[in-house]
Amino acid sequence: MKKTVDAAILKFRSKKNYRNRKDITWVRVQCPQQNNSIDCGFFILRFMRDIIALNRIDIPKMYFDEYKSYSRAHLDEMKDELCQFIIDHRII
């Protein structure tokens, strides 16, 4: 996946004639880990929400100390917010 994203970024840069063609630097981010194969999307949504709620402009390399993983309550809260968003914006 990393090679595919790198290739896409390089192709985008070449089409836009970007002069700044520094190598792409990947940073491994430590974030909450799911303990099943079902909740990955909710973990990502919750992680992004937490970053935005803390007014961060960057993704921290080390995740916030209070969450090593999300509890069922955290994920249920995220699911409720997503459902309410879908209803409010008449997405389905």
Side-chain angles (χ1 to χ4, degrees), residues 19-66:
R19 298 186 197 286
N20 183 4
R21 297 184 184 219
K22 293 180 182 176
D23 288 338
I24 299 165
T25 303
W26 289 87
V27 177
R28 185 174 294 272
V29 176
Q30 186 178 20
C31 60
Q33 300 294 306
Q34 70 191 66
N35 55 10
N36 62 34
S37 61
I38 299 169
D39 294 324
C40 57
F42 294 109
F43 266 73
I44 293 168
L45 287 172
R46 181 68 194 223
F47 184 62
M48 290 187 305
R49 180 180 165 272
D50 289 348
I51 291 170
I52 292 166
L54 292 173
N55 291 322
R56 297 200 62 130
I57 58 170
D58 63 333
I59 297 174
K61 290 181 184 176
M62 294 293 289
Y63 195 58
F64 322 120
D65 290 333
E66 62 268 23

